[in-house]
Amino acid sequence: MKTFIFSLLILFSAAGASAADYPAVVEGDFVLKDFKFASGETLPALRIHYRTLGTPVRNAEGKVSNAVLLIHNTSGDGGIFINPQFGGELFGPGAALDATRYYIIAPDAIGHGRSGKPSDGLRARFPRYGYTDMVDAQHRLLVEGLGVQHLRLVLGTSMGGMHAWIWGERYPAFMDALMPLSSLPVQTAGRNRVWRRVLIDAIRNDAEWRGGAYTAQPPSLKTALQLLYFMSSNPILRQEKTPTLEGTDADLDAFVGAGMKRFDATDLLYQLEASRDYDPAPGLEKIRAPLLALNTADDLVNPPELGILEREIKRVAKGRAILLPLSPATRGHGGHTVAALWKEHLKQLMADSATTPVSNK
């Protein structure tokens, strides 16, 4: 389903991008005290890093009415949205998520970015978190840290899309609209589970991983990055970009080399294992807000031939699904962060879900 993956390609290309015509990003940290994980493990303090754009607007009841939650993909962080291909398309004046109208919140999920994660020091002693833990931490950040009791929209990319389905079930009255991108509302299984399992086993069975006590990144991280490269983009673009053996090897080596400097094996291991508790299928009828799920036909992680999204969306009362066909503009699974592909659909969702005032929902 996919769930997740993430496009390292997009992460690397966006890293140096400049901001478009929208308000400055404000960053902060909020510490969740005595956070209890679904596994029963606890941390006395769990740091959640976040970014915001825009200003909160309060309604007659004093509640924030214009908050938008953006949830990133596996291995990413909230910064993936601050670049021309996403924020440049959505945050500017008159755009779907105009940051002069909306209060945009983009946290780093547990185990990602500058939020609490294994590589901060605990390594394999860090609690084994799952997707429900990650969503509950996001909820606490909003309510306890930022004073947000309601969301205008929850939009998630890949892993974040999976989180959006969980948000709709776990907190059905908390938002006006949901837009899960590049994800499926079923348990991680089939090929989507296999490639994750391959990476998990590669790291855990690597003698140099040493149960998390390594002093240098183990060789299995390279293997993991190679498979992530394989799962991203689409075959047509990949062939056009690297039509020769030498060019393909060079592109793969460059991708892996950059990843070896950026990523940590235990962080990636935990990120992959976190999807073990993901299974929104039994509770899809709980989702009350209008939901627009969007995938692309060239998504290797969530292949359209499965027909899962088209089947399951029928169980969502106000649900709708769109499959974008393969085109020169699509980017395989990475299309979730190329906002030009789907921004008009988002704009329509925002318009449709605004017919009833937030305060009356």
Side-chain angles (χ1 to χ4, degrees), residues 20-33:
D21 185 20
Y22 47 77
V25 177
V26 176
E27 300 198 39
D29 293 293
F30 183 68
V31 177
L32 305 179
K33 301 293 186 181

Side-chain angles (χ1 to χ4, degrees), residues 88-139:
E89 298 284 346
L90 299 180
F91 300 159
L97 299 181
D98 183 340
T100 64
R101 288 186 59 199
Y102 296 108
Y103 179 45
I104 299 167
I105 304 163
D108 294 351
I110 297 174
H112 294 70
R114 283 185 272 173
S115 290
K117 57 186 181 297
S119 63
D120 290 339
L122 290 177
R123 292 285 184 86
R125 292 179 289 113
F126 193 88
R128 293 189 68 206
Y129 60 85
Y131 281 7
T132 55
D133 295 317
M134 299 161 95
V135 168
D136 288 348
Q138 294 159 10
H139 182 266

Side-chain angles (χ1 to χ4, degrees), residues 27-361:
E27 300 198 39
D29 293 293
F30 183 68
V31 177
L32 305 179
K33 301 293 186 181
D34 301 316
F35 189 86
K36 185 174 182 178
F37 295 80
S39 65
E41 300 167 279
T42 61
L43 280 178
L46 174 63
R47 181 183 67 259
I48 299 296
H49 187 76
Y50 63 91
R51 296 158 187 80
T52 64
L53 295 88
T55 304
V57 172
R58 298 185 182 276
N59 59 20
E61 300 172 345
K63 296 180 179 179
V64 176
S65 61
N66 66 332
V68 170
L69 178 65
L70 303 180
I71 314 174
H72 63 80
N73 53 298
T74 297
S75 86
D77 59 43
I80 195 172
F81 303 117
I82 316 301
N83 64 75
Q85 66 183 5
F86 191 95
E89 298 284 346
L90 299 180
F91 300 159
L97 299 181
D98 183 340
T100 64
R101 288 186 59 199
Y102 296 108
Y103 179 45
I104 299 167
I105 304 163
D108 294 351
I110 297 174
H112 294 70
R114 283 185 272 173
S115 290
K117 57 186 181 297
S119 63
D120 290 339
L122 290 177
R123 292 285 184 86
R125 292 179 289 113
F126 193 88
R128 293 189 68 206
Y129 60 85
Y131 281 7
T132 55
D133 295 317
M134 299 161 95
V135 168
D136 288 348
Q138 294 159 10
H139 182 266
R140 286 187 59 183
L141 165 67
L142 295 175
V143 175
E144 301 172 23
L146 299 175
V148 173
Q149 304 287 338
H150 192 88
L151 290 167
R152 182 67 184 82
L153 170 74
V154 177
L155 183 151
T157 61
S158 191
M159 177 189 77
M162 299 164 78
H163 287 188
W165 294 101
I166 298 172
W167 261 98
E169 293 184 7
R170 204 164 179 82
Y171 304 101
F174 202 90
M175 73 291 296
D176 295 339
L178 294 150
M179 189 169 181
L181 296 158
S182 302
S183 63
L184 294 177
V186 294
Q187 188 177 50
T188 304
R191 184 170 68 193
N192 190 29
R193 170 57 180 171
V194 170
W195 74 262
R196 293 167 183 266
R197 173 68 186 277
V198 168
L199 299 194
I200 289 168
D201 286 356
I203 295 172
R204 285 203 174 276
N205 296 330
D206 186 343
E208 295 303 311
W209 184 62
R210 301 177 183 176
Y214 49 93
T215 56
Q217 293 299 326
S220 52
L221 179 59
K222 179 178 179 180
T223 302
L225 291 167
Q226 290 172 329
L227 185 51
L228 290 173
Y229 176 93
F230 175 79
M231 296 297 294
S232 62
S233 191
N234 70 41
I236 295 176
L237 290 172
R238 190 60 59 69
Q239 187 69 25
E240 290 177 350
K241 180 182 180 183
T242 57
T244 67
L245 184 149
E246 294 80 5
T248 301
D249 284 352
D251 197 54
L252 175 60
D253 290 344
F255 178 87
V256 172
M260 292 296 291
K261 297 175 183 178
R262 180 185 177 101
F263 291 97
D264 175 84
T266 305
D267 286 347
L268 183 57
L269 171 68
Y270 271 62
Q271 291 163 7
L272 292 165
E273 289 187 330
S275 64
R276 68 187 178 279
D277 70 343
Y278 177 71
D279 187 10
L284 291 175
E285 286 82 4
K286 296 178 182 178
I287 299 175
R288 293 165 47 184
L291 181 150
L292 174 62
L294 188 145
N295 287 354
T296 58
D298 56 349
D299 187 340
L300 184 61
V301 178
N302 305 298
E305 56 267 30
L306 295 177
I308 291 173
L309 182 58
E310 293 76 9
R311 181 189 73 220
E312 298 300 322
I313 197 66
K314 297 174 184 177
R315 299 172 50 205
V316 180
K318 298 178 182 178
R320 190 162 63 96
I322 294 176
L323 179 69
L324 297 180
L326 170 68
S327 77
T330 55
R331 294 293 182 273
H333 187 67
H336 56 68
T337 317
V338 183
L341 290 171
W342 42 262
K343 64 181 181 179
E344 293 305 317
H345 296 293
L346 170 59
K347 200 166 189 176
Q348 189 62 53
L349 173 65
M350 297 299 283
D352 293 344
S353 59
T355 54
T356 302
V358 173
S359 59
N360 293 335
K361 293 189 177 182

